[in-house]
Amino acid sequence: MKLQNTPIRNIVQLLLIVFTGAALSADVHGQCKTFKLSDSGDTLNCTDIKNKKQGKWVERTNPLRGAQGFDEEGEYINNRKEGLWRKYNLQGDILSMENYKWGLQNGISQYFTVDGLEREESWKAMDPDKEYDTIDVPDLYTEGVYKSVIIKNDGYSLKHGKWTYYDPRTGFIQKTENYFRDSSENPLAVFGVKMKRPLSDTAAASLKKKALAAKTIEILDWEKKNAGKKKVKVRDGSTGY
C-alpha cells in the first residue's frame, strides 16, 4: 500500500496501534528485572524487582546422571506456578499436563508415554498462606462418616477425586482409584459392599466365646483330636472339566 493513497485516518490509527503496543511492551519490560523475548516478541521468563517469577515462562532441565531432560512451559504468579503447565521431552513429545494453584497441583493432571495417555490424577491444593487449615477426613470403616481435623498447613496438595490408569496403546482403563482429601475411599462401594469397623479385642473375644458355647461336646472333641493334621482332599466324583 502506498502511503500517499492511504487515508489520513488510517495512518493515524496505525500510528496509535504502534505507539500503544510499544508503550505496553515498555511497561511490561519496566516491571521486569530480567526477561527474555520470544521469536514473536512476547515477554518470557520475567523476574520482577523482588526476584519473583512473573508471567509466561519456558524452562529447561538438562539430562543429569541418567535422568532425561525436559522442557516446561506455563505461567508464574508471584513465584508460584498457576494454571496449566505442560512438560515435554527434549524431542518435543508431551510428557505431562498439570494444573496448579498457589504453586501446588490442583485439579486434573495427565501423564503420557510416547504411546499415549498413561495416567490421570486429581488433586486439591491447600492454601499455603494459611498456617492452619481444617479438612474433613473420611472414616475408612464406616461409610458416609467424616470428621473434621485441624492440621498445620505446610502447603501441599491432597489426592482428591478419581485417579484413572490407562493402557497407553489401546486407551483402555486398567484400574481406577477414588480419593477424598488424601484418603482412599472404599473401592468396593460400587458393588454395595461396606467397610465396617473391625471388632475390638473385647468384642472379638465375646463372639468367640459364644461360638464355642454353641458347639456340641462331640464337635469340640473331634476338633481337638484332629488339630494340626493335614487336610485330605476328597473327590466328589466330578471329572474336573
Side-chain angles (χ1 to χ4, degrees):
M1 182 183 295
K2 294 182 179 180
L3 185 60
Q4 60 267 30
N5 295 329
T6 303
I8 189 65
R9 179 180 297 177
N10 290 353
I11 296 176
V12 173
Q13 289 177 344
L14 180 61
L15 290 174
L16 285 174
I17 292 173
V18 172
F19 289 141
T20 301
L24 289 174
S25 178
D27 182 59
V28 171
H29 297 167
Q31 297 174 10
C32 300
K33 183 178 178 181
T34 61
F35 64 90
K36 295 180 180 179
L37 290 178
S38 69
D39 294 337
S40 59
D42 294 329
T43 301
L44 300 174
N45 296 23
C46 170
T47 302
D48 65 16
I49 58 175
K50 295 182 180 179
N51 293 319
K52 291 185 177 181
K53 297 178 180 179
Q54 305 285 0
K56 295 180 179 179
W57 270 68
V58 176
E59 302 177 305
R60 167 162 290 194
T61 299
N62 292 315
L64 180 65
R65 299 188 184 92
Q68 295 183 352
F70 56 87
D71 292 320
E72 284 186 291
E73 62 177 11
E75 185 175 359
Y76 279 103
I77 296 180
N78 294 327
N79 226 35
R80 294 171 176 171
K81 289 182 176 180
E82 190 74 18
L84 178 63
W85 274 74
R86 293 182 175 90
K87 182 185 292 184
Y88 305 87
N89 63 24
L90 299 185
Q91 289 71 47
D93 300 313
I94 185 71
L95 295 176
S96 67
M97 293 194 298
E98 300 174 325
N99 282 283
Y100 286 85
K101 188 175 184 179
W102 304 308
L104 302 166
Q105 280 186 265
N106 184 74
I108 301 299
S109 292
Q110 295 178 316
Y111 299 89
F112 303 83
T113 69
V114 292
D115 295 317
L117 179 61
E118 182 180 47
R119 186 173 75 258
E120 190 172 75
E121 303 175 351
S122 182
W123 294 88
K124 185 176 181 64
M126 304 285 289
D127 187 349
D129 294 328
K130 291 183 178 180
E131 185 176 1
Y132 293 92
D133 209 335
T134 302
I135 64 172
D136 293 326
V137 179
D139 188 314
L140 296 181
Y141 302 102
T142 307
E143 188 177 5
V145 175
Y146 298 87
K147 56 182 178 180
S148 296
V149 178
I150 298 176
I151 61 171
K152 182 169 176 56
N153 182 16
D154 296 321
Y156 55 90
S157 296
L158 304 172
K159 294 179 180 180
H160 188 74
K162 186 178 181 180
W163 285 41
T164 307
Y165 299 81
Y166 299 89
D167 182 327
R169 294 185 178 181
T170 64
F172 292 150
I173 295 175
Q174 294 182 321
K175 69 172 182 177
T176 60
E177 298 170 346
N178 289 286
Y179 293 91
F180 185 90
R181 302 275 181 124
D182 237 12
S183 296
S184 178
E185 293 185 332
N186 177 13
L188 301 179
V190 68
F191 301 108
V193 178
K194 296 182 180 180
M195 296 177 66
K196 296 181 179 180
R197 185 179 299 280
L199 296 173
S200 64
D201 293 341
T202 303
S206 176
L207 283 178
K208 185 177 181 179
K209 185 176 180 181
K210 290 180 180 179
L212 288 174
K215 292 183 179 181
T216 64
I217 297 177
E218 290 80 5
I219 292 175
L220 291 173
D221 186 55
W222 185 89
E223 288 180 347
K224 184 177 180 181
K225 289 180 180 179
N226 290 276
K229 289 185 179 181
K230 184 178 179 180
K231 294 183 178 180
V232 179
K233 292 184 179 180
V234 180
R235 296 190 61 178
D236 59 3
S238 61
T239 61
Y241 295 105

